[in-house]
Amino acid sequence: MVAQRDLSEAEVDRVFHALATSTRRDILRRTIEREQSVSALASEYDMSFAAVQKHVSVLEAADLIVKRAEGRERLVRANPEMIARARALLARYEELWRSRIARLDDLLAEAPADRPTTEDSTRTPTGEGD
């Protein structure tokens, strides 16, 4: 098993930027399913070939996909290693927020005896106000 290293801040920025648009997320999904040519990908979208090529370039810069030449075609496939590293990063963020929420729940569950309840705070010092 290959040890995963943490993503650098620049890599994290590139990954989140690459995943920020639905077209790029869809391209990634399609290339996870199977390797495809850039021209085949472009035929799936209502935009120019050049626009799709730019989306592919952003995904490639983030290392989420790998592009290779086969004759005159450029074939694109997802990079499972980088996807796994991005997933691990998101799992760490999720754990961080879950632990923060758990601590908040613990704090809210502690009801100090000297803290007035809502009902107590609506009464006057003489007990009136009911």
Side-chain angles (χ1 to χ4, degrees):
M1 183 171 142
V2 176
Q4 285 186 357
R5 64 175 178 77
D6 286 340
L7 295 171
S8 70
E9 287 299 314
E11 288 172 316
V12 171
D13 288 346
R14 283 191 298 270
V15 165
F16 282 121
H17 173 71
L19 297 175
T21 67
S22 61
T23 300
R24 290 195 286 264
R25 290 189 302 272
D26 190 61
I27 290 170
L28 184 61
R29 180 190 58 78
R30 290 172 188 273
T31 60
I32 287 171
E33 292 172 359
R34 71 179 198 284
E35 185 175 57
Q36 297 186 47
S37 69
V38 175
S39 57
L41 285 169
S43 70
E44 298 293 326
Y45 301 99
D46 188 24
M47 62 181 75
S48 69
F49 177 83
V52 172
Q53 207 168 21
K54 285 181 183 180
H55 284 299
V56 168
S57 294
V58 171
L59 289 163
E60 186 179 26
D63 206 22
L64 289 166
I65 61 170
V66 177
K67 189 166 48 170
R68 69 179 181 87
E70 186 172 289
R72 294 178 57 191
E73 285 191 313
R74 299 296 174 256
L75 299 175
V76 179
R77 66 175 167 77
N79 180 356
E81 180 185 327
M82 182 55 91
I83 292 169
R85 291 172 65 201
R87 186 173 182 267
L89 171 69
L90 291 172
R92 286 194 303 274
Y93 284 144
E94 179 182 11
E95 181 55 36
L96 172 74
W97 282 106
R98 286 185 185 274
S99 68
R100 287 180 178 180
I101 290 169
R103 283 192 308 235
L104 182 59
D105 285 345
D106 291 344
L107 288 171
L108 294 173
E110 296 173 6
D114 62 338
R115 186 173 68 186
T117 63
T118 305
E119 184 179 309
D120 292 339
S121 64
T122 60
R123 293 186 182 176
T124 63
T126 61
E128 297 172 2
D130 289 318

